[in-house]
Amino acid sequence: MAEQTLRFPIVGMHCASCAKNIERVVKKLPGISSVQVNYATERAKVEYDPQRCSPAKIGEQVGKLGYTAVMAGTDPATTPPSAHHDGVTHSTHEHAVSHSPEHGAHDHAKMLRQAELKLLITKVTFSAMASAFVLLPDILGWLGFEPLSKQMRNVFQLLLTTPVLFWAGSQFFVSAGKSARFFQASMDTLIAMGTAAAYTFSFVAVIRPQAFAGSGQAPATYFDVTAVIITLILLGKYLEAKAKAGANDAIHKLAGLAAKTARVLRDGREIELPLDQVVVGDLIVVRPGEKIAVDGVVTEGQSAVDESMVTGESVPNEKKAGSAVYGGTVNANGALTFRATKVGRQTLLSQIIQLVEEAQSSQAPIQRLADKISGVFVPIVISIALVTFVLWMIWPPAGVVPLSFALILAVTVLIIACPCALGLATPTAVMIGVGKGAEHGVLIRDAEALETLHKINTVIFDKTGTITTGHLGVTDVIGQDNALQLAASLEAKSEHPVAKAVVAEAKRRGLGLLPVEQFQNHPGRGVSGTIRNQRVAVGSPTLLAELNINTESHRENLERLSKQGKTAVQVGVGTECVGVVAVADTIKPSSQVAINRLQSMGIAVFLITGDNAMTAANIAEQAGVSSEHILANVLPQDKAGKVKELQHSGKRVAMVGDGVNDAPALAQAQVGIAMGSGTDVAREAAGITIVGNDLQQVVTAIQLSKTTLRNIKQNLFWAFIYNVLGIPIAAGVLYPAFRLTLSPIIASGAMAFSSLFVVLNSLRLKRFGRS
């Protein structure tokens, strides 16, 4: 049996080390080939052999570490959080849009996180009030008031600190204990060791002060340090959780776009049904102002539809019979009836949500360094704290109690070194960057594509369907004023692509079609018939010559248009050629603007096509591509080879295409970018998909990559510099020269708010694209 992939939320992680511990422990299960746990998104991805392992076993293993794995299974409304003692919860609750196989689990995970957040704010409030009273005697003493004796003050602080440590801070001890069972360590280990050491030292000083008699000094207590550290860390965790919730709102926004019900025609009656009862083939009625329920094709009616969630463009698109519509878009001003073609998880909106979700959970290459450091950081810090303690016990400064001085510095090292900021630096920025991309019609399949894109210095565009519309359109009409009308009147009876282009242009210009008699199709050459008692022919020079129509007057025009790579048909009336109509695959309105913007960014732009050099040169000239960067006459199987050639010359290449024949080149490029209107194969091979057909979204994707990577580097710098500078100061390196140490209270505050700083800095990405 083939391996399966399991994705599920995890509730209860407190740091990046928690995520790494879960990865290490779950990976030890038989049948597990890959484990990825993302601390920022609080989600896991596990690849496993279903014959050797199961989701239940995976969830149980996560539970043994003290975290909750939320799997699909039972209704969360019937399973209170307190009952999840095994670390596994299950959910079958479904949303109107099942954006992923685990969507019900998402709802349950959200419920658990809300309960966790509610308990957290209760603990923060209690510990903050208790800490204020713990600090009160010290504050009064500084002001010259001594309402309590020293012994009474110590007992008073002991009574208040105990519930702060063992109730408000209990999560750190429970988590640290479960990690220790697997010989793992996390941020909770550091906090538990530091606060327990300070509390135990102070407790002994109060209960058995004679234990310090040999030092010749009164024993010191650090209840204030213990209580305030727990309070500040809990406060930091609460603020971080709130900020992370804001960072992860892209999925919720997208899911909120879905309609809840659909008005379906059944047995000649309109019935309002929930989305999960809509099936492919149903006829659905949409009134003005309503959301379109699922994907489909319009069968009746005409309206404008706001498709900004799909295309990123605010201008509504006109819809009529035969037009495609997408679930989640909004019908503007007319009634539409459409036939459902995709429902449930097959709709474009559901696929977009799943793609965004997977991308947010993926790892960028730059994250690997931070993950490696986080994975070994905690044991290193514990070692540094032990060395700090031993060294200051052996060589204590004059005038201090060695045990007290050494202990407090070791505690400070443990507290300040927590690697939360390091673990949040990359995933929070990736999470928001991917979400912003989706808002702008740029779907990023994985974080690696997002990171790599900013390094690109060469972009190769496929011609047909990418730079061009992929549809023939009239480019030139030469000759008599009525040449186009005559041609369209005849071509209206043909199904040839050239004929359709001619008819469409006549309708666009408001030209009425004339009645045709004695219509005749001449395969491969054109059409002929009688209009207003005159013989009219539209087609190639061969056809007109067969019908004895003189074409000499327009021979030069025909040659000129052919040299431009256009398909030209001649219009003959009686015995004379009265005009020439040329059609070609026209470039998209956005192509030239997008290519100019890329070139202004210092990015070389290439055009690749299987067409001849003449046609390619004509399109390149219109789009603004240099003649030196045209790759013409390239067979489909050779496109990937052209990408390799550019890569071997030192270029970092992004390939933009839409067809099946582009898939190998999309996969070969450093970053493949598929047009959303293209084939499924192309989208699967690409790391990024442009939902609409606007090539300016390629520019948007590159700019988003640059902005996101700049944000990640800022986050990593502050996370690294914080630990690099903070740990030595906490260990007391400045004390011999400057008599300067770092208070554990300041260290705990700095540690908590460094994580908050990283998240808030990542949230600045939400301003991307705003003018």
Side-chain angles (χ1 to χ4, degrees), residues 440-460:
H440 287 79
V442 178
L443 299 184
I444 299 162
R445 183 174 296 277
D446 56 58
E448 185 168 357
L450 177 64
E451 177 178 336
T452 305
L453 191 58
H454 86 286
K455 303 174 184 176
I456 293 301
N457 56 24
T458 302
V459 175
I460 304 176

Side-chain angles (χ1 to χ4, degrees), residues 194-238:
T195 53
Y199 177 86
T200 303
F201 181 89
S202 305
F203 182 83
V204 172
V206 173
I207 303 302
R208 291 185 61 83
Q210 60 270 29
F212 298 89
S215 69
Q217 299 186 39
T221 58
Y222 299 102
F223 293 118
D224 51 353
V225 170
T226 305
V228 173
I229 284 174
I230 293 294
T231 301
L232 288 175
I233 292 173
L234 288 174
L235 177 61
K237 288 286 128 193
Y238 173 76

Side-chain angles (χ1 to χ4, degrees), residues 10-147:
I10 295 179
V11 180
M13 291 189 292
H14 303 128
C15 67
S17 295
C18 298
K20 300 308 294 182
N21 287 344
I22 294 171
E23 287 182 354
R24 283 192 288 263
V25 171
V26 173
K27 187 71 183 291
K28 294 177 181 178
L29 287 172
I32 301 292
S33 61
S34 172
V35 183
Q36 288 184 16
V37 180
N38 191 310
Y39 169 53
T41 60
E42 298 179 297
R43 289 184 56 76
K45 175 184 175 182
V46 180
E47 295 180 356
Y48 69 102
D49 181 350
Q51 292 184 330
R52 302 177 60 199
C53 195
S54 68
K57 288 182 180 178
I58 294 169
E60 183 182 352
Q61 193 78 341
V62 173
K64 288 178 180 178
L65 277 170
Y67 312 106
T68 303
V70 186
M71 306 289 186
T74 60
D75 190 344
T78 65
T79 315
S82 60
H84 309 317
H85 55 82
D86 61 348
V88 188
T89 65
H90 306 275
S91 171
T92 55
H93 181 65
E94 292 292 337
H95 192 279
V97 175
S98 296
H99 65 258
S100 76
E102 306 83 23
H103 183 75
H106 264 288
D107 292 341
H108 195 186
K110 184 178 179 181
M111 181 192 76
L112 291 176
R113 289 188 186 109
Q114 288 174 341
E116 188 179 55
L117 205 60
K118 186 176 180 180
L119 177 61
L120 189 56
I121 190 61
T122 301
K123 288 185 173 183
V124 169
T125 303
F126 170 79
S127 60
M129 294 175 62
S131 297
F133 281 103
V134 168
L135 289 171
L136 185 60
D138 294 329
I139 295 172
L140 292 175
W142 295 336
L143 296 175
F145 300 98
E146 293 287 351

Side-chain angles (χ1 to χ4, degrees), residues 165 196 223 225 306 354 360 425 495 512 515 552 681 689:
L165 181 64
F223 293 118
V225 170
D306 178 2
Q354 185 169 348
Q360 287 185 336
E495 292 297 319
E552 187 61 28
V681 175
T689 298

Side-chain angles (χ1 to χ4, degrees), residues 64-67 170-186 188-190 192-193:
K64 288 178 180 178
L65 277 170
Y67 312 106
S170 59
Q171 65 195 60
F172 304 120
F173 292 94
V174 172
S175 177
K178 290 189 175 183
S179 295
R181 287 172 52 196
F182 292 90
F183 302 100
Q184 307 291 339
S186 67
D188 294 339
T189 306
L190 301 182
M193 289 180 64

Side-chain angles (χ1 to χ4, degrees), residues 551-679:
T551 61
E552 187 61 28
S553 59
H554 285 285
R555 181 174 58 81
E556 290 184 2
N557 288 328
L558 190 67
E559 291 176 354
R560 176 176 56 83
L561 293 169
S562 296
K563 287 180 180 179
Q564 293 175 358
K566 300 175 181 178
T567 300
V569 294
Q570 294 174 302
V571 183
V573 178
T575 60
E576 290 293 326
C577 178
V578 299
V580 178
V581 178
V583 299
D585 186 5
T586 55
I587 72 168
K588 296 174 183 175
S590 63
S591 294
Q592 186 175 29
V593 177
I595 289 170
N596 287 341
R597 290 179 66 189
L598 288 171
Q599 291 170 337
S600 69
M601 294 164 64
I603 296 173
V605 177
F606 284 73
L607 179 148
I608 191 167
T609 179
D611 284 340
N612 59 58
M614 188 182 300
T615 301
N618 179 56
I619 294 296
E621 183 179 0
Q622 294 180 57
V625 177
S626 168
S627 59
E628 299 174 354
H629 291 169
I630 298 173
L631 305 173
N633 295 306
V634 180
L635 296 175
Q637 60 268 30
D638 295 333
K639 286 186 177 181
K642 292 295 182 182
V643 173
K644 281 184 183 179
E645 288 178 15
L646 290 171
Q647 289 172 328
H648 289 158
S649 67
K651 298 185 183 300
R652 295 184 294 274
V653 180
M655 172 72 193
V656 186
D658 72 321
V660 172
N661 61 354
D662 296 322
L666 291 168
Q668 174 63 40
Q670 270 90 354
V671 179
I673 303 176
M675 305 305 293
S677 58
T679 63

